[in-house]
Amino acid sequence: MTEQELHKRLELLRTEHRDLDAAILALSEAGSTDQLQIARLKKRKLRLKDQIAIIEDTLLPDIIA
């Protein structure tokens, strides 16, 4: 992937991460009893966070101290 494609992918992942955060918050505040659904959303959110970190590491060069 080119750097431009990585930046675009990163923005999409961040948007999805924010959307999941809002969905989890809405379900929690609504007093949802579907804990399985909330757990699945949280798991998906963590996977997205990992993918975001991988792309950020790819885009940012290592600093040699």
Side-chain angles (χ1 to χ4, degrees):
M1 289 183 116
T2 67
E3 188 173 333
Q4 184 179 13
E5 290 171 334
L6 286 174
H7 280 289
K8 190 172 186 175
R9 176 79 175 137
L10 183 60
E11 189 56 40
L12 290 172
L13 290 173
R14 286 179 175 161
T15 300
E16 188 176 350
H17 188 269
R18 282 191 302 268
D19 291 346
L20 281 173
D21 197 32
I24 291 167
L25 183 63
L27 284 172
S28 297
E29 288 179 349
S32 176
T33 57
D34 192 357
Q35 294 301 315
L36 183 58
Q37 182 182 10
I38 293 173
R40 286 180 179 151
L41 292 175
K42 286 182 179 181
K43 192 177 227 183
R44 173 72 179 142
K45 187 177 162 193
L46 285 174
R47 282 195 302 267
L48 288 173
K49 185 177 179 182
D50 289 343
Q51 290 175 352
I52 289 169
I54 290 168
I55 293 174
E56 286 176 340
D57 288 345
T58 302
L59 290 172
L60 297 174
D62 290 336
I63 299 174
I64 300 173

